[in-house]
């Protein structure tokens, strides 16, 4: 069974600050996915990272993947209130077409 | 495109009742999946399908059945509802599965009394 751990689980940060969310997983995988969920809403895809060393950026969010360390990071630059949401990472096991999600990081950006 | 649609949005069942959650997508995606989301546990995969006529079990399949007779539709059946199945259910689809972003439906909030 593949375990996916995110930390922190809860994050409260001030506007304008930088922070990083971490996603660790327990078995070999070359692909990692980041999603965002607003309260009471569905999930929206942010990034798909498909290889070791992959880095993707969109606005104030940047995601990276280190498959050797089994670690992905989601870096937030100069946070704004609109980034308040829950962020999930997910991993597949290279085979089997199954996806495993982390428990999520609830981010609150305060003025 | 409507994307991924789910019905109903809310449902209350009594223990032992059965029901079907509907999911449809209009993007011609081969891969479709069902997840349940419980507080503090993220999303867990129930069943998935890589194409019409092909389904397989995910992480938590007990108590649920699926079928995929068309590319567009992937219904989830609860055979005999139990309070432990109280959850929010999301359907998702992607082009082919591994390596693709998944598009999620709006969710169904199910309560089993």
């Amino acid at each position: 069974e593949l375990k996916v751990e995110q930390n922190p689980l809860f994050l409260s940060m001030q506007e304008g600050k930088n922070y990083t969310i971490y996603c660790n997983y327990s078995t070999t995988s070359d692909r990692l996915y980041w999603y965002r969920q607003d309260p009471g809403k569905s999930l929206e895809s942010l990034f798909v990272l498909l290889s070791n060393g992959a880095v993707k950026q969109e606005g104030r969010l940047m995601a990276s993947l280190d498959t050797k360390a089994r670690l992905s990071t989601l870096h937030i630059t100069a946070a704004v209130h609109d980034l308040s949401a829950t962020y999930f990472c997910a991993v597949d096991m290279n085979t089997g077409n199954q996806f495993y999600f982390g428990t999520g990081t609830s981010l609150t950006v305060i003025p | 495109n409507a994307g991924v649609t789910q019905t109903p949005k809310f449902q209350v069942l009594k223990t032992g009742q059965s029901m079907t959650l509907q999911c449809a997508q209009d993007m011609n995606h081969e891969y479709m999946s069902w997840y349940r989301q419980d507080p503090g546990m993220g999303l867990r995969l129930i069943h998935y399908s890589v194409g019409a006529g092909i389904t397989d079990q995910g992480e938590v399949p007990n108590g649920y059945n699926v079928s995929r007779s068309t590319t567009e539709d992937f219904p989830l059946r609860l055979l005999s509802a139990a309070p432990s199945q109280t959850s929010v259910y999301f359907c998702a689809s992607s082009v082919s599965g591994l390596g693709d972003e998944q598009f999620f439906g709006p969710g169904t909030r199910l309560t089993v009394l």
Side-chain angles (χ1 to χ4, degrees):
Chain A
E1 181 187 331
L2 191 155
K3 292 191 188 298
V4 184
E5 293 183 343
Q6 290 182 235
N7 70 82
L9 297 183
F10 298 94
L11 175 57
S12 179
M13 56 189 298
Q14 285 191 313
E15 278 190 333
K17 298 292 188 183
N18 303 335
Y19 209 84
T20 300
I21 298 171
Y22 297 89
C23 175
N24 289 90
Y25 53 97
S26 63
T27 194
T28 302
S29 178
D30 295 327
R31 288 174 291 269
L32 191 130
Y33 314 80
W34 283 98
Y35 292 88
R36 168 185 171 141
Q37 184 179 37
D38 292 314
K41 304 291 186 184
S42 186
L43 282 80
E44 172 191 359
S45 175
L46 293 174
F47 302 109
V48 178
L49 304 169
L50 297 177
S51 61
N52 185 43
V55 177
K56 288 198 174 178
Q57 183 164 5
E58 179 76 32
R60 300 174 188 273
L61 300 177
M62 184 173 71
S64 65
L65 177 61
D66 181 344
T67 60
K68 291 180 171 43
R70 299 178 184 171
L71 171 69
S72 179
T73 60
L74 181 66
H75 187 73
I76 302 155
T77 301
V80 293
H81 180 70
D82 284 352
L83 290 179
S84 296
T86 298
Y87 293 85
F88 292 94
C89 62
V91 180
D92 67 59
M93 288 181 67
N94 288 345
T95 62
N97 277 299
Q98 296 200 38
F99 296 86
Y100 296 84
F101 279 74
T103 50
T105 295
S106 176
L107 170 65
T108 303
V109 180
I110 54 179
Chain B
N1 285 353
V4 181
T5 58
Q6 291 182 238
T7 55
K9 287 194 168 98
F10 301 93
Q11 182 71 49
V12 179
L13 291 178
K14 293 182 180 177
T15 296
Q17 287 184 315
S18 62
M19 81 159 294
T20 299
L21 307 186
Q22 301 292 344
C23 174
Q25 52 91 11
D26 61 358
M27 298 174 281
N28 203 32
H29 285 171
E30 291 296 327
Y31 183 88
M32 295 186 74
S33 54
W34 277 102
Y35 294 88
R36 59 178 289 171
Q37 183 176 30
D38 301 298
M41 299 192 73
L43 277 77
R44 291 181 292 168
L45 181 65
I46 304 171
H47 285 284
Y48 65 95
S49 168
V50 297
I54 307 169
T55 63
D56 208 343
Q57 297 181 348
E59 193 180 352
V60 288
N62 292 342
Y64 308 94
N65 272 357
V66 291
S67 59
R68 182 102 178 266
S69 56
T70 67
T71 299
E72 294 78 21
D73 299 297
F74 191 44
L76 178 72
R77 296 183 189 84
L78 279 71
L79 308 172
S80 177
S84 60
Q85 293 179 304
T86 294
S87 188
V88 180
Y89 292 84
F90 288 101
C91 178
S93 74
S94 68
V95 173
S96 60
L98 297 184
D100 295 321
E101 63 179 339
Q102 294 189 74
F103 294 84
F104 282 80
T108 294
R109 185 173 294 274
L110 175 69
T111 302
V112 183
L113 302 175

